[in-house]
């Protein structure tokens, strides 16, 4: 029982590691002699040692030689990642980012109010992982996958829960695989845990958008000039138009500053028309009324209005009715 408890306390470290960028430094080990090493934890043998990668070199550290493990906080411009949720035996719930663990003693949880809560291991009932961005799948928000190995089986996915157990029930982990199945693994059965690169990792970061700018799949573009004909069709000359951003695939992410004017923006598909050697893009008010493209999702993050559209190949225009500005992109 004592060995299982020791393993349980250390497993908090693996559970708490989340995405905060693409730096090679994900973890810091503070050793008993006061020295600090930087890199990332790759393998753990619960209750025994861990394999640490530092500048492409693998170094094995005995757990008894480690005082604490630190994790760098998520940067302010990151809009995706993983949050840590700790539930105590007294029924309190804390949410944030675990930035430090004193092995066998306590964890330090940095919360959204910028207050760090220190929680004793003995007070923790369970610990969970939750996605920070609600618009992304949880597997898109972490750079690593967990591989948990027992004597009989190997589980690959994300550790989304660690229950600390009780007198009646053993402590266990819950590993979520990419098919959505939750696999319960008793901690006493675990032989080895690994972290491997996650190919689905797609971090979202904040970037600056000016008042007269629109972003198509993170490519900034300016508004373009147009004319109108007697039927109130909008005509955009391809000769006078700047080269529009080219988007590949069927997903169009349109971002603007979150202003009342931009919230009125309408996305429509334009018609390409040729007259001799001249080519133009056409769309009309009727298109905006009868066939506007509706976003699958709309989200505001840090004053950025983000719309997510499903589209097919063609030219698209984003029209702002209030200030009569047009932005163009091409989907291939």
């Amino acid at each position: 029982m004592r060995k299982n408890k020791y393993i349980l306390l250390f497993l908090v470290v693996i559970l708490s590691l989340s995405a905060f960028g693409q730096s090679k430094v994900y973890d810091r080990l503070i050793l008993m002699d006061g020295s600090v090493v930087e890199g990332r934890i790759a393998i753990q043998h619960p209750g025994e040692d861990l394999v640490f990668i530092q500048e492409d070199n693998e170094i094995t550290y005995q757990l008894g030689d480690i005082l604490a493990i630190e994790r760098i906080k998520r940067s302010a411009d990151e809009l995706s990642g993983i949050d840590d949720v700790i539930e105590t035996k007294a029924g309190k719930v804390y949410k944030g980012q675990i930035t430090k663990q004193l092995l066998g003693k306590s964890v330090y949880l940095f919360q959204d109010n910028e207050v760090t809560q220190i929680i004793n291991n003995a007070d923790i009932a369970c610990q969970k992982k939750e996605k920070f961005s609600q618009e992304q799948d949880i597997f898109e928000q972490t750079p690593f996958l967990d591989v948990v190995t027992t004597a009989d089986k190997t589980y690959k996915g994300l550790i989304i829960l660690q229950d600390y157990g009780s007198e009646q029930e053993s402590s266990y982990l819950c590993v979520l695989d990419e098919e959505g199945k939750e696999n319960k693994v008793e901690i006493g059965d675990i032989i080895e845990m690994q972290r491997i690169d996650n190919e689905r990792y797609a971090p979202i970061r904040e970037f600056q958008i000016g008042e007269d700018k629109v972003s198509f799949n993170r490519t900034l573009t300016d508004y373009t000039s147009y004319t109108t004909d007697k039927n109130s069709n909008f005509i955009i000359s391809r000769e006078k138009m700047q080269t529009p951003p080219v988007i590949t695939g069927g997903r169009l992410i349109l971002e603007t500053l979150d202003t009342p004017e931009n919230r009125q923006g309408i996305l429509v598909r334009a018609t390409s028309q040729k007259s001799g050697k001249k080519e133009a893009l056409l769309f009309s008010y009727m298109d905006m009324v009868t066939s506007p493209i509706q976003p699958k999702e709309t989200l505001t993050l840090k004053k950025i209005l983000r719309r997510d559209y499903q589209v097919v190949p063609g030219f698209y225009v984003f029209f702002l009715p209030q200030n009569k500005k047009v932005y163009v992109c091409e989907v291939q």
Side-chain angles (χ1 to χ4, degrees), residues 159-171:
I159 300 173
I160 59 170
L161 180 143
Q162 176 185 321
D163 190 284
Y164 276 50
S166 63
E167 294 295 331
Q168 293 76 33
E169 186 176 3
S170 300
S171 53

Side-chain angles (χ1 to χ4, degrees), residues 57-273:
N57 296 317
E58 291 188 358
I59 306 171
T60 300
Y61 291 95
Q62 300 299 313
L63 298 190
D65 295 331
I66 302 172
L67 173 65
I69 298 178
E70 291 185 342
R71 182 189 73 184
I72 298 175
K73 292 194 293 287
R74 184 168 48 233
S75 62
D77 68 339
E78 289 188 65
L79 305 181
S80 63
I82 302 293
D83 275 338
D84 303 301
V85 180
I86 295 178
E87 298 180 9
T88 70
K89 295 174 182 177
K92 294 184 179 179
V93 179
Y94 301 97
K95 183 176 180 178
Q97 303 168 62
I98 292 180
T99 57
K100 184 176 181 179
Q101 180 187 14
L102 293 177
L103 295 194
K105 295 183 179 180
S106 59
V107 294
Y108 289 61
L109 187 76
F110 182 76
Q111 301 170 99
D112 290 342
N113 59 5
E114 300 188 351
V115 173
T116 297
Q117 183 75 33
I118 302 174
I119 307 169
N120 292 328
N121 289 350
D123 297 331
I124 300 175
C126 71
Q127 186 177 333
K128 301 176 183 179
K129 275 183 179 179
E130 291 184 355
K131 59 184 183 180
F132 177 61
S133 171
Q134 297 305 308
E135 64 177 306
Q136 272 190 315
D137 184 275
I138 192 170
F139 284 94
E140 296 178 298
Q141 301 189 53
T142 179
F144 301 113
L145 297 178
D146 302 307
V147 180
V148 179
T149 302
T150 68
D152 303 320
K153 195 170 182 179
T154 296
Y155 303 88
K156 177 183 173 183
L158 286 177
I159 300 173
I160 59 170
L161 180 143
Q162 176 185 321
D163 190 284
Y164 276 50
S166 63
E167 294 295 331
Q168 293 76 33
E169 186 176 3
S170 300
S171 53
Y172 65 89
L173 300 178
C174 182
V175 182
L176 176 69
D177 65 28
E178 294 190 80
E179 285 70 46
K181 181 181 178 181
E182 297 183 4
N183 300 282
K184 182 179 177 180
V185 186
E186 290 198 8
I187 288 176
D189 295 337
I190 298 172
I191 297 172
E192 181 179 271
M193 300 176 66
Q194 297 182 51
R195 287 195 302 167
I196 61 175
D197 290 335
N198 176 18
E199 295 181 354
R200 291 181 58 188
Y201 180 47
I204 301 174
R205 292 183 173 82
E206 182 182 31
F207 68 109
Q208 298 298 316
I209 301 179
E211 290 187 6
D212 291 329
K213 297 277 189 178
V214 164
S215 164
F216 296 104
N217 287 26
R218 288 298 169 100
T219 300
L220 290 172
T221 185
D222 293 305
Y223 61 88
T224 188
S225 60
Y226 63 87
T227 58
T228 56
D229 62 18
K230 60 182 180 180
N231 296 317
S232 297
N233 291 313
F234 293 83
I235 304 170
I236 304 171
S237 170
R238 294 294 305 276
E239 291 181 350
K240 298 180 181 179
M241 181 179 68
Q242 295 181 356
T243 302
V246 177
I247 308 304
T248 57
R251 188 182 184 191
L252 176 60
I253 307 295
L254 194 153
E255 292 171 292
T256 65
L257 288 178
D258 189 6
T259 65
E261 294 80 10
N262 289 339
R263 279 188 170 272
Q264 295 177 20
I266 302 170
L267 183 72
V268 295
R269 190 177 179 194
T271 301
S272 181
Q273 187 178 84

Side-chain angles (χ1 to χ4, degrees), residues 247-304:
I247 308 304
T248 57
R251 188 182 184 191
L252 176 60
I253 307 295
L254 194 153
E255 292 171 292
T256 65
L257 288 178
D258 189 6
T259 65
E261 294 80 10
N262 289 339
R263 279 188 170 272
Q264 295 177 20
I266 302 170
L267 183 72
V268 295
R269 190 177 179 194
T271 301
S272 181
Q273 187 178 84
K274 285 187 177 181
S275 177
K277 294 184 178 181
K278 295 183 178 181
E279 185 178 358
L281 300 178
L282 279 72
F283 67 101
S284 67
Y285 276 116
M286 185 60 65
D287 294 328
M288 289 182 253
V289 173
T290 62
S291 56
I293 301 172
Q294 300 297 333
K296 294 193 306 177
E297 187 175 31
T298 299
L299 186 69
T300 299
L301 291 170
K302 297 186 178 181
K303 299 181 181 181
I304 301 297

